[in-house]
């Protein structure tokens, strides 16, 4: 099993969710986050005054999937979240050693 963590632009969330649903992904967790990468934030003008925004709003998606789905899920997120502009985000793939469905006690792939 793998945990896929994707940090994307907020307006791309619906497209990513639709792409993942099409692959049969049955659940995911979404968190509103703030951060910066290579772009180091951005400068904005508000009421004529210029100010720096150090942390940009992003969305973090976490999905636990079977090993057999990893490449297709990563590819689907990459295609759906891509705008071609700086700040599109990142995808991380982490190992999951154990999973348990609390309600039924199912473990590992059956718990997903």
């Amino acid at each position: 099993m793998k945990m896929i963590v994707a940090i994307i632009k907020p307006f791309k969330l619906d497209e990513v969710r639709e792409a993942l649903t099409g692959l049969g992904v049955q659940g995911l967790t979404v968190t509103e986050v703030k951060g910066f990468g290579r772009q180091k934030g951005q400068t904005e003008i508000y009421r004529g005054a210029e100010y720096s925004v150090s942390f940009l709003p992003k969305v973090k998606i976490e999905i636990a999937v079977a090993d057999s789905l990893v490449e297709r899920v990563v590819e689907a997120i990459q295609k759906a979240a891509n705008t071609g502009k700086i700040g599109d985000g990142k995808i991380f793939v982490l190992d999951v050693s154990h999973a348990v469905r609390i309600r039924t006690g199912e473990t590992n792939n059956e718990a997903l």
Side-chain angles (χ1 to χ4, degrees), residues 62-75:
E62 297 170 293
I63 313 153
V65 297
D67 290 335
S68 60
L69 273 179
V70 171
E71 292 304 320
R72 290 187 291 169
V73 168
V74 169
E75 185 178 307

Side-chain angles (χ1 to χ4, degrees), residues 5-13 15-16 33 35-40 42 56-61 77-92:
V5 178
I7 310 294
I8 64 169
K9 291 182 175 183
F11 67 89
K12 286 296 204 170
L13 178 59
E15 291 177 52
V16 170
V33 296
F36 70 88
R38 289 185 180 169
Q39 79 266 29
K40 307 278 191 284
Q42 62 191 23
L56 300 175
K58 301 288 182 181
V59 172
K60 178 167 76 170
I61 302 170
I77 294 170
Q78 186 176 5
K79 285 182 180 177
N82 186 6
T83 67
K85 298 183 179 156
I86 194 164
D88 275 351
K90 299 263 188 319
I91 302 171
F92 304 98

Side-chain angles (χ1 to χ4, degrees), residues 20-37:
L20 294 173
T21 301
L23 288 178
V25 172
Q26 295 181 353
L28 55 90
T29 301
V30 176
T31 310
E32 292 180 9
V33 296
K34 291 184 180 186
F36 70 88

